[in-house]
Amino acid sequence: MRDVAVQDLTPYHGALLAEDAELIASFLAGDSQAVATVDGWLARAAASFRRRTGDDWGDILQDVRLEVIRLLQQGRFRGESRLKTYLWQVTGHTYLDALRRRARSIEVAEEPDREPPSDEPSLLEQAVVSERTRAMLAALESTSPECRKLWSRILEGRGYSEMARELGVSEGTLRVRVHRCRKAALATLVSGNGSALASPRSLGGPEHRGV
Amino acid sequence: MECEAVRERLPWLLNRSLQPDERAAVESHLAGCPGCRAELAETRRAAGLFDTHLPPSTLVDLAWDRPLVAFDAGTVRRHLDGCASCADELELLRESRRTAESDQAPFRLAPSVMRPLALAASLVLAFAVGGRLERARFERDSGGPRRELGELSARLATAAAEADRLRAAEGELRRRLDALGTPMANLPVVELLPGRGDQRSAAAAGGGNVVVVPRGAAYVALVLSTEARRRGPLAVELRASSGDVLWRAEGLLPGPLGAYTLGVPAERLPEGTASLVILGEKAGTRPLEVFELQVRRQP
């Protein structure tokens, strides 16, 4: 699992404002005015992502609508903020997920003997994944900026000829540098927290959404 | 291709940017080399490390100034310093948040801009205020009546369409009434006998009652002969071969000779096989008598 949204672990203090509770009830009941209000918010929240998502913007907005319906039906909004703010955040989260899926050029395979994670991870699963991600971020920090830059281009889908031209080096030199970066990265992974970093499962897989 | 050459190309095999012939050569080598396949798995792990980013939820927390839960501020800041894509995504989220806040905040200008603008605006306002106030009052006062006028027009259009429909229905009913009032010559009369045993087989084998509807006949008189005697008015249903009830008549009483008679509009007798079923008038009663029909229309 690469990006797992961690459930807010802070204790719940607030209560839904009556206005927000009424709007949620009307929206879920299909009241046209409530639907128009919520839809208007979602579209405005999504406006910032239009340029980056191009033709997919509308499809992703539809994903946002479905996610909002799911979260509100499950009572996941508990009044920690105004409903409008919450919906803005859900929209941003969903668009980021979509942008990252589009940008990913390398799919990391799951280990065949592992069960796929559930759609609603338990607090323990979330804590384990957070720990993995923290360890990965720490390992990444210990790699050189040059290695991160080279691999960033590879992850964007660039070919080695193109990269060599950009960097002004021969293709052979580039390939060797990348290979050394790979070895250094693996050494970092091994020397870090073995249990947190050993599993390839920590490097990819389905993402969970929860704001 | 040698192992060393293959291993150097593995990152570009994974990002699918190798040329087709090169890819084929690498894949062909991998198929027969467990060592290089293990290197491929390691390369995938390394790619996963370099593709590690702050989770979207953390970036959303940052953009909205919510407390960070999963990561300390130092880790987040250091990652943002070195990861252009996370920094870019955070900026997108902040831009989105600014949209939310501009929705809510009243528009405010800086004081240095306000004063000259205020002077210019007041001059324009002095000339325009009279006319604008009048217009605003007109807009406000006429808004209600204009809406009412729109609603009335819509209702009028609906009522006009309904009136047309009712006039057409009235015409049809008058035609039918006139037809009923006219004495009918050459009224076809058909005596029907009840089915015996397997009613459906009787009809299928052609043993059912044949009702020939002459060309141009408006009505057909059906005489339902039955030896059974019943008390009280009965109901009769015409059922299609599928069992669907095509129509129902009530208040059926036996004539002097014990038979029941029905005057049926010719158009209500569908060509083909059907059944006339006599029942009690109460709903849900079982059939008392069934008459199988074969309806044929004269061309």
Side-chain angles (χ1 to χ4, degrees), chain A residues 8 30 68 158 175 191:
Chain A
D8 187 354
V68 162
R158 309 274 189 100
R175 287 198 298 265
S191 68

Side-chain angles (χ1 to χ4, degrees), chain A residues 52 100 134 141 160 182, chain B residues 22 39 70 78 88-89:
Chain A
R52 292 286 299 278
R100 289 187 178 187
R134 266 194 292 274
E141 247 184 84
Y160 65 72
R182 193 209 75 163
Chain B
E22 220 174 358
E39 289 284 313
R78 285 192 301 276
D88 185 42
E89 287 170 354

Side-chain angles (χ1 to χ4, degrees), chain A residues 81-133:
Chain A
S81 64
R82 290 305 304 270
L83 176 65
K84 181 176 172 180
T85 300
Y86 177 75
L87 296 181
W88 233 268
Q89 292 164 355
V90 170
T91 304
H93 197 295
T94 309
Y95 270 90
L96 279 203
D97 275 344
L99 282 172
R100 289 187 178 187
R101 276 197 305 275
R102 273 161 50 116
R104 192 176 301 144
S105 65
I106 295 180
E107 290 297 330
V108 179
E110 295 284 315
E111 279 189 325
D113 59 340
R114 291 285 183 126
E115 292 289 335
S118 67
D119 279 343
E120 299 295 339
S122 65
L123 285 176
L124 176 61
E125 279 180 304
Q126 291 172 37
V128 166
V129 170
S130 293
E131 181 53 38
R132 274 202 202 118
T133 309

Side-chain angles (χ1 to χ4, degrees), chain A residues 2-6 8-9 44-45 48-49 52 84-85 88-89 92-93 96-97 99-100 104-109 130 133-134 136-137 139-141 143 147-148 151 154-155 157-160 163 174-176 178-179 181-182 185-186 189 197-198 203 210-211, chain B residues 4-5 7-12 14-18 22 39-40 42-57 59-61 64 66-67 69-72 74-75 78-79 82 86 88-90 92-93 95-101 103-104:
Chain A
R2 193 177 132 255
D3 286 330
V4 176
V6 177
D8 187 354
L9 300 178
R44 287 203 296 286
S48 310
F49 301 93
R52 292 286 299 278
K84 181 176 172 180
T85 300
W88 233 268
Q89 292 164 355
H93 197 295
L96 279 203
D97 275 344
L99 282 172
R100 289 187 178 187
R104 192 176 301 144
S105 65
I106 295 180
E107 290 297 330
V108 179
S130 293
T133 309
R134 266 194 292 274
M136 292 285 278
L137 287 173
L140 183 64
E141 247 184 84
T143 61
C147 286
R148 291 202 293 271
W151 271 93
I154 291 169
L155 290 166
R158 309 274 189 100
Y160 65 72
M163 286 174 63
L174 171 71
R175 287 198 298 265
V176 167
V178 167
H179 190 65
C181 287
R182 193 209 75 163
L186 290 173
L189 284 174
L197 301 179
L203 304 182
V211 178
Chain B
E4 189 182 331
R7 292 175 191 192
E8 282 179 5
R9 284 164 171 79
L10 292 178
W12 292 280
L14 287 178
N15 81 356
R16 302 184 195 97
S17 66
L18 286 181
E22 220 174 358
E39 289 284 313
L40 179 63
E42 295 290 286
T43 305
R44 211 187 287 274
R45 287 184 65 207
L49 172 64
F50 286 111
D51 201 24
T52 301
H53 297 279
L54 293 171
S57 57
L59 294 176
V60 169
D61 288 343
W64 288 85
R66 288 176 10 164
V69 176
F71 307 98
D72 64 273
T75 300
R78 285 192 301 276
H79 182 81
C86 282
D88 185 42
E89 287 170 354
L90 178 60
L92 276 176
L93 289 168
E95 189 185 321
S96 178
R97 179 183 177 180
R98 284 193 288 271
T99 312
E101 288 169 352
D103 255 15
Q104 290 156 1

